[in-house]
Amino acid sequence: METPEGIAELESVRKLYDGDWSKFPRPDFDVRENSNRRLVTMSGYTSDAYQTAASGKRISLGTALVTAGQLALSRFNQQKKVAVEWIYNGRNEQWKNNLIGITICGIPATMDFVKYAEMDAILDEARRQNAWGLRYAEHSYALRDMSPAKNECLKIVYEHGIDVPENIPEWFQIEADTDHFTGMLGLFQIIIFESTPDAPLTLIATYQGSRYREESAKRMLSEFERALNELLGLPASEN
């Protein structure tokens, strides 16, 4: 049974989005049509370099990526209070690792860059919220707070080699059923794909082309990589 302190903490997590937050890159056009677009770039550092830098900052790479997304959103929109949704695979217990199927969930994360202006303070708050998110990952936020109609947010997705053929057993066959897929994605997602430790991260923007110019997607990815390097103390890459 959840303790009173735990119940209060869970309610605090649920209320993270309460308030005046900037939640997604400001669109170029005021329309809402099904027009998905995809932009792919490569990071200037390898996955291993980012992992090493994150360890040196006492932060997980996943948490650093979420925080970089918040910094990028703040700079893109020129707003100090931002909120995003990060996607977690939901397998926070050993027995769940043997499940076949989708266990992902969306977790809210906010950052007030007025209240947390110094890098150490930003990283401390990011660690605290990451711990909250992992602790309460089994609770569904999507039904209550994260539907596109109510609370559209920038989504940060960190993928670990799930699509690499070498990581899939020979006897395992993957089939995608898209018969019931409408094709409508969120307004803007940043997907970070990690293939191998010695390869750069693949940075992907998926966005509604009816609302964003390609130049805006490029700028958002550029802001994201710049923020990630800054957070982890890495020199700016040449990309």
Side-chain angles (χ1 to χ4, degrees):
M1 179 178 292
E2 191 72 72
T3 65
E5 294 80 8
I7 293 173
E9 189 176 62
L10 173 58
E11 191 60 24
S12 296
V13 175
R14 284 177 170 163
K15 290 182 176 180
L16 274 178
Y17 280 170
D18 292 353
D20 186 21
W21 301 99
S22 184
K23 297 174 182 175
F24 53 84
R26 186 178 293 110
D28 297 312
F29 310 106
D30 187 19
V31 294
R32 180 72 173 182
E33 297 176 356
N34 186 356
S35 179
N36 300 328
R37 295 289 184 271
R38 188 169 183 262
L39 179 68
V40 181
T41 66
M42 305 302 291
S43 70
Y45 290 95
T46 65
S47 173
D48 188 60
Y50 281 121
Q51 292 281 5
T52 299
S55 297
K57 296 290 184 179
R58 296 182 297 107
I59 193 170
S60 72
L61 180 54
T63 302
L65 295 172
V66 174
T67 311
Q70 293 171 321
L71 264 174
L73 180 60
S74 175
R75 290 166 175 171
F76 186 96
N77 285 351
Q78 298 184 351
Q79 297 289 327
K80 292 294 186 179
K81 295 181 63 176
V82 297
V84 303
E85 174 188 4
W86 60 279
I87 308 302
Y88 176 57
N89 64 17
R91 298 176 186 261
N92 55 349
E93 296 177 83
Q94 186 62 41
W95 68 272
K96 292 180 180 178
N97 290 329
N98 297 323
L99 293 178
I100 296 176
I102 295 176
T103 57
I104 62 173
C105 54
I107 299 175
T110 65
M111 188 67 70
D112 183 343
F113 288 108
V114 174
K115 184 177 180 181
Y116 305 104
E118 301 298 325
M119 192 59 67
D120 287 345
I122 292 170
L123 292 176
D124 285 344
E125 177 62 8
R127 291 187 196 95
R128 185 174 72 89
Q129 287 198 28
N130 183 70
W132 273 15
L134 293 176
R135 179 173 178 180
Y136 295 109
E138 69 268 23
H139 296 275
S140 175
Y141 301 94
L143 294 179
R144 174 177 170 177
D145 290 323
M146 290 186 175
S147 68
K150 180 180 179 181
N151 221 343
E152 180 70 79
C153 281
L154 170 68
K155 294 171 177 59
I156 310 296
V157 186
Y158 180 24
E159 295 185 357
H160 304 260
I162 191 172
D163 296 326
V164 178
E166 290 78 7
N167 294 344
I168 302 174
E170 292 183 2
W171 53 267
F172 198 84
Q173 183 175 356
I174 296 179
E175 295 184 3
D177 182 2
T178 59
D179 288 346
H180 302 288
F181 178 56
T182 64
M184 176 62 77
L185 300 176
L187 279 181
F188 207 108
Q189 300 182 63
I190 296 178
I191 302 171
I192 303 96
F193 177 70
E194 176 185 301
S195 55
T196 61
D198 59 349
L201 294 175
T202 304
L203 308 179
I204 306 169
T206 61
Y207 60 97
Q208 287 299 317
S210 59
R211 301 200 70 179
Y212 294 98
R213 296 185 177 92
E214 183 176 329
E215 291 76 11
S216 296
K218 289 179 179 178
R219 183 160 70 89
M220 190 62 188
L221 283 186
S222 178
E223 291 283 9
F224 175 81
E225 184 176 7
R226 181 166 71 93
L228 180 61
N229 293 342
E230 183 180 327
L231 278 168
L232 299 182
L234 295 170
S237 64
E238 296 180 359
N239 285 3

